[in-house]
């Protein structure tokens, strides 16, 4: 090989430059707001909290800490973009849990409206506290989008990006009275694969109503301090689902008192009492069967006392069918998987429709 050939062989191959992508225009969600909060932005410590700043001095520390998670918060927008980007930052480095993926704990879940029905499109897959997720190849056309914020992490910032020249219209949070859920880790969203899969979110889509998720993992205990905050929300209906975090003595002490507290402040708002879901392994564990029996008996006594004393618009949901009867509805025997959440929504939907006067 000649000297010229050797020199040419040692030169790096020339590569064609890829054309630059379109300029992306970013839209900060905080400028138009989220659904799922019962208090005005100025009452919050951080933009994507679930309880007002004053709650830090009212509720127990674990409840306050968990209220910083953005579970149940959602936002809407319209765009005709065929490429859509989501850029978001979460507050905690724990992006996943042993029984729950990062998509559910820390992801942003995207749905779009198709002929009047919400259909899932994409979910972000966080690997760091800041994530940029691209959805490309979308069919052309103007459509309405809805995005759910992370379930078990706080949200610091979230933006939607579309190519320059694409139409983009923020959709303000709805003004209708919301369905307010107060509960445990199950209401909070464990162990959904995505933020759109817990039963409060599913029911919000089915009933086309705003939802406020006040699930506090391990700490849904019917406390009067939380009850006082509940009464500040002008709800369409309250769903009380705290039994998974309570034993019989706590239920006997607090259940009737909580309902009377809400009813005094909101005399006409329907209240739905939900029994604890049945552990998937109760068929082989007597201690769990006994726990269900005790807490449910106390709950029924409270309900009967309330009804006999004249409390109206009070509904009761038994726990046995919530996750189905085949023991396949949970991730760990307690927390629903996506199948379990769908089943739970199926049980609650007709009760909510009755309470709300919907067909």
């Amino acid at each position: 090989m000649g000297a010229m050939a050797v020199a040419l062989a040692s030169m790096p191959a020339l590569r064609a430059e890829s054309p630059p992508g379109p300029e992306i225009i970013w839209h900060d969600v905080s400028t138009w707001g989220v659904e799922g909060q019962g208090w005005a932005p100025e009452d919050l410590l951080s933009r994507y909290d679930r309880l007002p700043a004053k709650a830090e001095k009212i509720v127990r520390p674990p409840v306050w800490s968990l209220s910083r998670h953005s579970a149940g918060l959602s936002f809407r927008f319209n765009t005709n973009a065929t490429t859509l980007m989501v850029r978001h930052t979460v507050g905690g480095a724990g992006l996943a849990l042993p029984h729950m993926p990062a998509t559910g704990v820390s992801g942003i879940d995207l749905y779009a409206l198709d002929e009047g029905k919400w259909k899932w499109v994409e979910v972000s897959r966080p690997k760091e506290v800041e994530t940029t997720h691209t959805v490309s190849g979308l069919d052309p056309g103007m459509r309405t989008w809805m995005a759910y914020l992370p379930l078990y992490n706080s949200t610091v910032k979230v933006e939607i990006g579309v190519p320059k020249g694409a139409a983009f219209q923020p959709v303000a949070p709805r003004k209708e009275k919301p369905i307010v859920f107060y509960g445990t880790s199950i209401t909070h969203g464990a162990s959904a694969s995505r933020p759109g899969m817990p039963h409060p979110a599913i029911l919000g889509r089915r009933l086309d109503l705003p939802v406020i998720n006040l699930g506090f993992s391990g700490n849904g205990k019917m406390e009067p301090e939380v009850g006082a905050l509940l009464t500040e929300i002008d709800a369409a209906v309250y769903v009380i689902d705290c039994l998974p975090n309570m034993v019989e003595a706590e239920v006997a002490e607090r259940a009737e008192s909580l309902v009377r507290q809400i009813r005094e402040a909101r005399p006409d708002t329907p209240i739905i009492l939900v029994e604890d879901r049945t552990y998937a392994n109760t068929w082989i564990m007597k201690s769990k069967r006994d726990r269900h029996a005790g807490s449910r008996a106390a709950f029924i006594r409270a309900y009967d006392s309330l009804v006999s004393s004249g409390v109206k618009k009070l509904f009761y949901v038994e726990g046995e069918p919530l996750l189905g009867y085949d023991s396949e509805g949970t991730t760990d025997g307690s927390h629903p998987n996506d199948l379990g959440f769908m089943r739970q929504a199926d049980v609650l939907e007709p009760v909510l429709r009755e309470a709300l006067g919907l067909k």
Side-chain angles (χ1 to χ4, degrees):
M1 182 180 295
M4 179 63 72
V6 172
L8 289 172
S10 65
M11 293 176 63
L14 296 176
R15 296 181 180 178
E17 290 287 337
S18 299
E23 180 183 354
I24 299 298
I25 307 300
W26 292 97
H27 304 269
D28 191 326
V29 174
S30 67
T31 62
W32 74 90
V34 293
E35 287 187 358
Q37 292 171 318
W39 292 268
E42 58 267 24
D43 296 327
L44 305 172
L45 183 61
S46 294
R47 184 64 188 87
Y48 301 110
D49 285 354
R50 292 184 291 151
L51 289 180
K54 67 181 181 181
E56 184 174 11
K57 296 181 180 179
I58 297 173
V59 301
R60 291 183 298 109
V63 175
W64 170 248
S65 178
L66 293 162
S67 77
R68 313 299 305 282
H69 294 173
S70 51
L73 303 188
S74 64
F75 62 92
R76 300 184 183 201
F77 57 93
N78 300 324
T79 186
N80 63 357
T82 56
T83 295
L84 189 67
M85 300 181 73
V86 183
R87 185 166 66 189
H88 65 102
T89 304
V90 294
L95 302 178
L97 293 168
H99 62 324
M100 190 173 174
T103 49
V105 171
S106 305
I108 299 285
D109 206 7
L110 288 165
Y111 285 72
L113 203 58
D114 179 48
E115 297 182 349
K117 292 187 178 181
W118 290 106
K119 294 183 179 179
W120 180 79
V121 179
E122 273 278 3
V123 64
S124 67
R125 302 162 177 81
K127 296 180 180 179
E128 305 288 344
V129 294
E130 184 174 322
T131 299
T132 300
H133 186 83
T134 301
V135 185
S136 58
L138 296 167
D139 291 343
M142 195 73 173
R143 57 179 58 88
T144 300
W145 291 79
M146 175 166 56
Y148 293 93
L149 271 58
L151 293 169
Y152 265 78
N153 213 326
S154 60
T155 295
V156 177
K157 189 172 185 178
V158 57
E159 299 168 289
I160 298 295
V162 296
K164 185 176 181 179
F168 186 90
Q169 301 167 348
V171 176
R174 289 169 291 176
K175 300 296 185 182
E176 292 98 327
K177 292 183 179 183
I179 303 169
V180 177
F181 290 84
Y182 171 38
T184 68
S185 55
I186 295 172
T187 298
H188 197 142
S191 299
S193 66
R194 303 183 275 104
M197 281 310 298
H199 65 280
I202 294 170
L203 289 163
R205 293 194 298 276
R206 289 183 183 178
L207 300 176
D208 194 26
L209 285 172
V211 167
I212 293 178
N213 184 327
L214 296 179
F216 305 115
S217 186
N219 288 274
K221 290 182 170 290
M222 298 189 189
E223 294 163 301
E225 295 83 2
V226 177
L229 293 166
L230 290 175
T231 65
E232 294 183 9
I233 303 171
D234 187 12
V237 58
Y238 295 99
V239 181
I240 309 301
D241 189 3
C242 293
L243 256 62
N245 286 167
M246 302 174 72
V247 296
E248 180 178 1
E250 292 172 317
V251 177
E253 175 188 353
R254 298 176 185 172
E256 184 171 349
S257 297
L258 178 64
V259 172
R260 292 192 183 281
Q261 181 183 21
I262 295 172
R263 182 53 78 237
E264 181 178 356
R266 301 288 179 179
D268 299 317
T269 306
I271 301 171
I272 298 174
L273 302 178
V274 184
E275 279 187 351
D276 46 335
R277 52 76 194 98
T278 298
Y279 288 107
N281 46 17
T282 52
W283 65 275
I284 201 171
M285 294 186 179
K286 182 178 182 299
S287 62
K288 292 186 176 181
R289 295 195 298 272
D290 290 346
R291 174 173 177 172
H292 287 318
S295 60
R296 290 173 181 175
F299 211 30
I300 291 170
R301 288 194 298 270
Y303 172 77
D304 288 343
S305 175
L306 289 160
V307 171
S308 63
S309 69
V311 175
K312 305 296 184 184
K313 297 186 178 180
L314 189 62
F315 300 81
Y316 192 94
V317 178
E318 295 183 352
E320 196 66 24
L322 286 172
L323 300 180
Y325 299 96
D326 56 9
S327 75
E328 300 289 2
T330 80
T331 298
D332 54 6
S334 174
H335 300 99
N337 52 28
D338 290 351
L339 171 63
F341 276 122
M342 192 67 71
R343 289 173 171 174
Q344 191 150 303
D346 289 343
V347 172
L348 289 173
E349 182 178 355
V351 184
L352 277 164
R353 289 188 179 276
E354 181 183 357
L356 293 166
L358 301 175
K359 293 181 180 180

PDB file of all heavy atoms in Angstrom, residues 137-160:
ATOM      1  N   GLY A 137     -44.646  10.442  16.417  1.00  0.00           N
ATOM      2  CA  GLY A 137     -45.438   9.639  15.501  1.00  0.00           C
ATOM      3  C   GLY A 137     -46.933   9.727  15.727  1.00  0.00           C
ATOM      4  O   GLY A 137     -47.681   8.825  15.323  1.00  0.00           O
ATOM      5  N   LEU A 138     -47.386  10.807  16.378  1.00  0.00           N
ATOM      6  CA  LEU A 138     -48.813  10.967  16.645  1.00  0.00           C
ATOM      7  C   LEU A 138     -49.566  11.307  15.363  1.00  0.00           C
ATOM      8  O   LEU A 138     -49.056  12.040  14.512  1.00  0.00           O
ATOM      9  CB  LEU A 138     -49.027  12.079  17.676  1.00  0.00           C
ATOM     10  CG  LEU A 138     -48.455  11.820  19.069  1.00  0.00           C
ATOM     11  CD1 LEU A 138     -48.456  13.106  19.885  1.00  0.00           C
ATOM     12  CD2 LEU A 138     -49.252  10.723  19.784  1.00  0.00           C
ATOM     13  N   ASP A 139     -50.759  10.781  15.227  1.00  0.00           N
ATOM     14  CA  ASP A 139     -51.590  11.126  14.079  1.00  0.00           C
ATOM     15  C   ASP A 139     -51.905  12.619  14.103  1.00  0.00           C
ATOM     16  O   ASP A 139     -52.123  13.198  15.174  1.00  0.00           O
ATOM     17  CB  ASP A 139     -52.903  10.342  14.101  1.00  0.00           C
ATOM     18  CG  ASP A 139     -52.696   8.856  13.845  1.00  0.00           C
ATOM     19  OD1 ASP A 139     -51.627   8.486  13.338  1.00  0.00           O
ATOM     20  OD2 ASP A 139     -53.621   8.076  14.168  1.00  0.00           O
ATOM     21  N   PRO A 140     -51.961  13.264  12.942  1.00  0.00           N
ATOM     22  CA  PRO A 140     -52.288  14.693  12.910  1.00  0.00           C
ATOM     23  C   PRO A 140     -53.704  14.952  13.428  1.00  0.00           C
ATOM     24  O   PRO A 140     -54.563  14.086  13.392  1.00  0.00           O
ATOM     25  CB  PRO A 140     -52.179  15.037  11.414  1.00  0.00           C
ATOM     26  CG  PRO A 140     -51.360  13.945  10.817  1.00  0.00           C
ATOM     27  CD  PRO A 140     -51.668  12.714  11.612  1.00  0.00           C
ATOM     28  N   GLY A 141     -53.902  16.162  13.911  1.00  0.00           N
ATOM     29  CA  GLY A 141     -55.237  16.569  14.335  1.00  0.00           C
ATOM     30  C   GLY A 141     -55.228  17.198  15.718  1.00  0.00           C
ATOM     31  O   GLY A 141     -54.430  16.828  16.582  1.00  0.00           O
ATOM     32  N   MET A 142     -56.113  18.148  15.916  1.00  0.00           N
ATOM     33  CA  MET A 142     -56.257  18.810  17.207  1.00  0.00           C
ATOM     34  C   MET A 142     -56.978  17.879  18.175  1.00  0.00           C
ATOM     35  O   MET A 142     -58.017  17.306  17.832  1.00  0.00           O
ATOM     36  CB  MET A 142     -57.063  20.101  17.036  1.00  0.00           C
ATOM     37  CG  MET A 142     -56.976  21.041  18.207  1.00  0.00           C
ATOM     38  SD  MET A 142     -55.348  21.828  18.261  1.00  0.00           S
ATOM     39  CE  MET A 142     -55.601  23.019  19.578  1.00  0.00           C
ATOM     40  N   ARG A 143     -56.429  17.701  19.366  1.00  0.00           N
ATOM     41  CA  ARG A 143     -57.095  16.859  20.360  1.00  0.00           C
ATOM     42  C   ARG A 143     -56.814  17.375  21.759  1.00  0.00           C
ATOM     43  O   ARG A 143     -55.870  18.151  21.982  1.00  0.00           O
ATOM     44  CB  ARG A 143     -56.688  15.397  20.220  1.00  0.00           C
ATOM     45  CG  ARG A 143     -55.197  15.138  20.309  1.00  0.00           C
ATOM     46  CD  ARG A 143     -54.874  13.648  20.197  1.00  0.00           C
ATOM     47  NE  ARG A 143     -55.356  13.050  18.976  1.00  0.00           N
ATOM     48  CZ  ARG A 143     -54.664  13.011  17.841  1.00  0.00           C
ATOM     49  NH1 ARG A 143     -53.449  13.549  17.780  1.00  0.00           N
ATOM     50  NH2 ARG A 143     -55.152  12.448  16.759  1.00  0.00           N
ATOM     51  N   THR A 144     -57.633  16.931  22.693  1.00  0.00           N
ATOM     52  CA  THR A 144     -57.483  17.294  24.099  1.00  0.00           C
ATOM     53  C   THR A 144     -56.699  16.212  24.822  1.00  0.00           C
ATOM     54  O   THR A 144     -56.971  15.010  24.665  1.00  0.00           O
ATOM     55  CB  THR A 144     -58.863  17.474  24.765  1.00  0.00           C
ATOM     56  OG1 THR A 144     -59.569  18.516  24.091  1.00  0.00           O
ATOM     57  CG2 THR A 144     -58.714  17.845  26.233  1.00  0.00           C
ATOM     58  N   TRP A 145     -55.749  16.659  25.632  1.00  0.00           N
ATOM     59  CA  TRP A 145     -54.890  15.755  26.401  1.00  0.00           C
ATOM     60  C   TRP A 145     -55.129  15.949  27.891  1.00  0.00           C
ATOM     61  O   TRP A 145     -55.486  17.041  28.340  1.00  0.00           O
ATOM     62  CB  TRP A 145     -53.421  16.041  26.092  1.00  0.00           C
ATOM     63  CG  TRP A 145     -53.005  15.666  24.701  1.00  0.00           C
ATOM     64  CD1 TRP A 145     -53.235  16.377  23.559  1.00  0.00           C
ATOM     65  CD2 TRP A 145     -52.303  14.493  24.312  1.00  0.00           C
ATOM     66  NE1 TRP A 145     -52.714  15.722  22.474  1.00  0.00           N
ATOM     67  CE2 TRP A 145     -52.131  14.553  22.911  1.00  0.00           C
ATOM     68  CE3 TRP A 145     -51.791  13.393  25.007  1.00  0.00           C
ATOM     69  CZ2 TRP A 145     -51.472  13.555  22.195  1.00  0.00           C
ATOM     70  CZ3 TRP A 145     -51.141  12.406  24.292  1.00  0.00           C
ATOM     71  CH2 TRP A 145     -50.983  12.487  22.902  1.00  0.00           C
ATOM     72  N   MET A 146     -54.895  14.877  28.644  1.00  0.00           N
ATOM     73  CA  MET A 146     -54.912  14.946  30.104  1.00  0.00           C
ATOM     74  C   MET A 146     -53.695  14.190  30.632  1.00  0.00           C
ATOM     75  O   MET A 146     -53.384  13.092  30.157  1.00  0.00           O
ATOM     76  CB  MET A 146     -56.191  14.336  30.683  1.00  0.00           C
ATOM     77  CG  MET A 146     -56.216  14.267  32.200  1.00  0.00           C
ATOM     78  SD  MET A 146     -57.876  13.913  32.870  1.00  0.00           S
ATOM     79  CE  MET A 146     -58.276  12.382  32.039  1.00  0.00           C
ATOM     80  N   ALA A 147     -53.003  14.786  31.588  1.00  0.00           N
ATOM     81  CA  ALA A 147     -51.811  14.172  32.159  1.00  0.00           C
ATOM     82  C   ALA A 147     -51.943  14.084  33.665  1.00  0.00           C
ATOM     83  O   ALA A 147     -52.404  15.023  34.321  1.00  0.00           O
ATOM     84  CB  ALA A 147     -50.571  14.975  31.788  1.00  0.00           C
ATOM     85  N   TYR A 148     -51.557  12.939  34.219  1.00  0.00           N
ATOM     86  CA  TYR A 148     -51.566  12.723  35.665  1.00  0.00           C
ATOM     87  C   TYR A 148     -50.147  12.839  36.217  1.00  0.00           C
ATOM     88  O   TYR A 148     -49.198  12.307  35.633  1.00  0.00           O
ATOM     89  CB  TYR A 148     -52.110  11.338  36.002  1.00  0.00           C
ATOM     90  CG  TYR A 148     -53.577  11.140  35.684  1.00  0.00           C
ATOM     91  CD1 TYR A 148     -53.964  10.603  34.458  1.00  0.00           C
ATOM     92  CD2 TYR A 148     -54.567  11.488  36.590  1.00  0.00           C
ATOM     93  CE1 TYR A 148     -55.302  10.410  34.160  1.00  0.00           C
ATOM     94  CE2 TYR A 148     -55.908  11.296  36.308  1.00  0.00           C
ATOM     95  CZ  TYR A 148     -56.270  10.757  35.086  1.00  0.00           C
ATOM     96  OH  TYR A 148     -57.598  10.570  34.791  1.00  0.00           O
ATOM     97  N   LEU A 149     -50.020  13.490  37.370  1.00  0.00           N
ATOM     98  CA  LEU A 149     -48.722  13.693  38.004  1.00  0.00           C
ATOM     99  C   LEU A 149     -48.329  12.477  38.845  1.00  0.00           C
ATOM    100  O   LEU A 149     -49.150  11.620  39.151  1.00  0.00           O
ATOM    101  CB  LEU A 149     -48.760  14.960  38.867  1.00  0.00           C
ATOM    102  CG  LEU A 149     -48.383  16.275  38.162  1.00  0.00           C
ATOM    103  CD1 LEU A 149     -49.283  16.552  36.983  1.00  0.00           C
ATOM    104  CD2 LEU A 149     -48.432  17.442  39.142  1.00  0.00           C
ATOM    105  N   PRO A 150     -47.046  12.400  39.253  1.00  0.00           N
ATOM    106  CA  PRO A 150     -46.557  11.258  40.010  1.00  0.00           C
ATOM    107  C   PRO A 150     -47.369  10.971  41.278  1.00  0.00           C
ATOM    108  O   PRO A 150     -47.830  11.893  41.955  1.00  0.00           O
ATOM    109  CB  PRO A 150     -45.122  11.666  40.363  1.00  0.00           C
ATOM    110  CG  PRO A 150     -44.716  12.561  39.239  1.00  0.00           C
ATOM    111  CD  PRO A 150     -45.951  13.340  38.902  1.00  0.00           C
ATOM    112  N   LEU A 151     -47.470   9.679  41.615  1.00  0.00           N
ATOM    113  CA  LEU A 151     -48.277   9.243  42.749  1.00  0.00           C
ATOM    114  C   LEU A 151     -47.531   9.295  44.079  1.00  0.00           C
ATOM    115  O   LEU A 151     -48.081   9.730  45.089  1.00  0.00           O
ATOM    116  CB  LEU A 151     -48.773   7.810  42.512  1.00  0.00           C
ATOM    117  CG  LEU A 151     -49.774   7.619  41.377  1.00  0.00           C
ATOM    118  CD1 LEU A 151     -49.962   6.131  41.089  1.00  0.00           C
ATOM    119  CD2 LEU A 151     -51.103   8.275  41.718  1.00  0.00           C
ATOM    120  N   TYR A 152     -46.303   8.807  44.098  1.00  0.00           N
ATOM    121  CA  TYR A 152     -45.581   8.658  45.366  1.00  0.00           C
ATOM    122  C   TYR A 152     -44.301   9.491  45.412  1.00  0.00           C
ATOM    123  O   TYR A 152     -43.331   9.141  46.064  1.00  0.00           O
ATOM    124  CB  TYR A 152     -45.257   7.182  45.622  1.00  0.00           C
ATOM    125  CG  TYR A 152     -46.289   6.502  46.496  1.00  0.00           C
ATOM    126  CD1 TYR A 152     -47.505   6.106  45.974  1.00  0.00           C
ATOM    127  CD2 TYR A 152     -46.055   6.289  47.851  1.00  0.00           C
ATOM    128  CE1 TYR A 152     -48.459   5.493  46.759  1.00  0.00           C
ATOM    129  CE2 TYR A 152     -46.992   5.683  48.649  1.00  0.00           C
ATOM    130  CZ  TYR A 152     -48.195   5.279  48.101  1.00  0.00           C
ATOM    131  OH  TYR A 152     -49.150   4.673  48.897  1.00  0.00           O
ATOM    132  N   ASN A 153     -44.321  10.602  44.713  1.00  0.00           N
ATOM    133  CA  ASN A 153     -43.220  11.546  44.742  1.00  0.00           C
ATOM    134  C   ASN A 153     -43.812  12.949  44.644  1.00  0.00           C
ATOM    135  O   ASN A 153     -44.950  13.113  44.181  1.00  0.00           O
ATOM    136  CB  ASN A 153     -42.248  11.305  43.570  1.00  0.00           C
ATOM    137  CG  ASN A 153     -40.812  11.618  43.915  1.00  0.00           C
ATOM    138  OD1 ASN A 153     -40.547  12.533  44.698  1.00  0.00           O
ATOM    139  ND2 ASN A 153     -39.878  10.878  43.325  1.00  0.00           N
ATOM    140  N   SER A 154     -43.071  13.917  45.095  1.00  0.00           N
ATOM    141  CA  SER A 154     -43.511  15.298  44.913  1.00  0.00           C
ATOM    142  C   SER A 154     -43.141  15.750  43.506  1.00  0.00           C
ATOM    143  O   SER A 154     -42.231  15.203  42.879  1.00  0.00           O
ATOM    144  CB  SER A 154     -42.864  16.213  45.951  1.00  0.00           C
ATOM    145  OG  SER A 154     -41.446  16.174  45.833  1.00  0.00           O
ATOM    146  N   THR A 155     -43.871  16.717  43.010  1.00  0.00           N
ATOM    147  CA  THR A 155     -43.571  17.296  41.707  1.00  0.00           C
ATOM    148  C   THR A 155     -43.057  18.714  41.912  1.00  0.00           C
ATOM    149  O   THR A 155     -43.706  19.529  42.566  1.00  0.00           O
ATOM    150  CB  THR A 155     -44.820  17.311  40.813  1.00  0.00           C
ATOM    151  OG1 THR A 155     -45.208  15.955  40.545  1.00  0.00           O
ATOM    152  CG2 THR A 155     -44.548  18.018  39.496  1.00  0.00           C
ATOM    153  N   VAL A 156     -41.892  19.003  41.362  1.00  0.00           N
ATOM    154  CA  VAL A 156     -41.282  20.323  41.476  1.00  0.00           C
ATOM    155  C   VAL A 156     -41.660  21.187  40.279  1.00  0.00           C
ATOM    156  O   VAL A 156     -42.031  22.355  40.426  1.00  0.00           O
ATOM    157  CB  VAL A 156     -39.749  20.201  41.597  1.00  0.00           C
ATOM    158  CG1 VAL A 156     -39.111  21.582  41.641  1.00  0.00           C
ATOM    159  CG2 VAL A 156     -39.376  19.389  42.830  1.00  0.00           C
ATOM    160  N   LYS A 157     -41.580  20.590  39.098  1.00  0.00           N
ATOM    161  CA  LYS A 157     -41.873  21.346  37.884  1.00  0.00           C
ATOM    162  C   LYS A 157     -42.323  20.372  36.805  1.00  0.00           C
ATOM    163  O   LYS A 157     -41.822  19.247  36.717  1.00  0.00           O
ATOM    164  CB  LYS A 157     -40.642  22.127  37.410  1.00  0.00           C
ATOM    165  CG  LYS A 157     -40.914  23.108  36.273  1.00  0.00           C
ATOM    166  CD  LYS A 157     -39.700  23.988  35.993  1.00  0.00           C
ATOM    167  CE  LYS A 157     -40.033  25.056  34.941  1.00  0.00           C
ATOM    168  NZ  LYS A 157     -38.876  25.953  34.695  1.00  0.00           N
ATOM    169  N   VAL A 158     -43.263  20.819  35.966  1.00  0.00           N
ATOM    170  CA  VAL A 158     -43.685  20.004  34.829  1.00  0.00           C
ATOM    171  C   VAL A 158     -44.011  20.930  33.664  1.00  0.00           C
ATOM    172  O   VAL A 158     -44.656  21.966  33.836  1.00  0.00           O
ATOM    173  CB  VAL A 158     -44.871  19.090  35.190  1.00  0.00           C
ATOM    174  CG1 VAL A 158     -46.061  19.879  35.701  1.00  0.00           C
ATOM    175  CG2 VAL A 158     -45.289  18.231  34.007  1.00  0.00           C
ATOM    176  N   GLU A 159     -43.512  20.562  32.480  1.00  0.00           N
ATOM    177  CA  GLU A 159     -43.703  21.353  31.269  1.00  0.00           C
ATOM    178  C   GLU A 159     -44.100  20.433  30.108  1.00  0.00           C
ATOM    179  O   GLU A 159     -43.697  19.262  30.077  1.00  0.00           O
ATOM    180  CB  GLU A 159     -42.419  22.081  30.892  1.00  0.00           C
ATOM    181  CG  GLU A 159     -41.900  23.053  31.930  1.00  0.00           C
ATOM    182  CD  GLU A 159     -40.491  23.493  31.611  1.00  0.00           C
ATOM    183  OE1 GLU A 159     -39.567  22.671  31.758  1.00  0.00           O
ATOM    184  OE2 GLU A 159     -40.320  24.650  31.182  1.00  0.00           O
ATOM    185  N   ILE A 160     -44.863  20.992  29.210  1.00  0.00           N
ATOM    186  CA  ILE A 160     -45.194  20.308  27.959  1.00  0.00           C
ATOM    187  C   ILE A 160     -44.508  21.044  26.816  1.00  0.00           C
ATOM    188  O   ILE A 160     -44.599  22.277  26.710  1.00  0.00           O
ATOM    189  CB  ILE A 160     -46.714  20.281  27.724  1.00  0.00           C
ATOM    190  CG1 ILE A 160     -47.406  19.504  28.842  1.00  0.00           C
ATOM    191  CG2 ILE A 160     -47.039  19.684  26.361  1.00  0.00           C
ATOM    192  CD1 ILE A 160     -47.056  18.033  28.891  1.00  0.00           C
TER     193      ILE A 160
END
